[in-house]
Amino acid sequence: MEISGFLQTIAQIGVAIAGFSGLIVTLRKDAGTLTSVQKFRLQILLSLAFGAMFLSLLPDLLLSFGLSADKMWKVCSSILALYSIVFLGWWIPAVFRINEIDPGIFNWTAFFRMTTGHVVVVLVQVTFLFSLFDLPATAAFATGLIWYLLHSAQQFTRMLFIRAKSDVA
């Protein structure tokens, strides 16, 4: 499969995860507004699923503006690294705030694994951008997108099977 088809598949998976999350929220939600934990989980899932979707469309968009393939991959990796840093900057403090609302809702081992994964995504992009290792551009970029899908799928599973105390009360 060529990279364009691969990236389109990632975009489709991102849309599917986001769509199914809406269905889960609708089916699991009681009357009234979403709880803080439900909103938080949905924000994580949508940030990552839509991030993977929109970022996977970026290479074709940049190529349509006439960028060379080399420059296009550098721009894509830069944006992916920046998106990951912004996500981590929001996500980590938010986890601790939500933990105050609903202590015990987090699996700290999973949290540290997911955080480590996002840091690795940033490091892989930086490694490519500064040519620290001979890393193919498509592999660097795809690694980040696939991590986003994995984390959003993990969040989808938590939404489906792990209810917060505030969801039940």
Side-chain angles (χ1 to χ4, degrees):
M1 176 188 297
E2 67 179 45
I3 189 65
S4 184
F6 178 71
L7 294 175
Q8 287 175 0
T9 300
I10 288 175
Q12 292 168 349
I13 293 168
V15 169
I17 291 171
F20 281 119
S21 71
L23 181 63
I24 294 302
V25 167
T26 302
L27 294 175
R28 301 265 330 247
K29 185 175 147 341
D30 298 326
T33 61
L34 296 172
T35 66
S36 296
V37 173
Q38 289 170 329
K39 287 179 192 175
F40 175 69
R41 287 176 167 173
L42 197 55
Q43 287 172 327
I44 294 168
L45 189 147
L46 294 176
S47 296
L48 294 168
F50 284 144
M53 180 192 69
F54 286 118
L55 288 167
S56 68
L57 301 174
L58 190 59
D60 283 336
L61 175 68
L62 293 175
L63 287 175
S64 72
F65 281 106
L67 265 65
S68 68
D70 185 53
K71 185 168 212 139
M72 177 270 298
W73 286 119
K74 291 199 183 285
V75 170
C76 287
S77 284
S78 297
I79 292 172
L80 178 59
L82 180 63
Y83 191 91
S84 295
I85 291 166
V86 169
F87 176 79
L88 283 169
W90 165 79
W91 182 53
I92 292 171
V95 163
F96 289 99
R97 281 193 305 275
I98 294 297
N99 190 56
E100 290 175 7
I101 293 169
D102 198 340
I105 189 63
F106 289 104
N107 176 325
W108 292 106
T109 303
F111 168 74
F112 288 115
R113 279 190 208 130
M114 293 296 119
T115 303
T116 301
H118 285 286
V119 170
V120 168
V121 166
V122 172
L123 292 175
V124 166
Q125 302 317 306
V126 169
T127 297
F128 166 70
L129 288 168
F130 293 105
S131 302
L132 301 175
F133 297 104
D134 188 23
L135 186 64
T138 54
F141 191 65
T143 298
L145 298 179
I146 290 170
W147 183 256
Y148 283 13
L149 292 178
L150 286 171
H151 190 171
S152 63
Q154 182 257 8
Q155 194 58 45
F156 177 81
T157 303
R158 290 186 61 78
M159 286 174 62
L160 190 60
F161 296 113
I162 301 173
R163 292 197 68 153
K165 292 174 195 154
S166 59
D167 294 348
V168 185

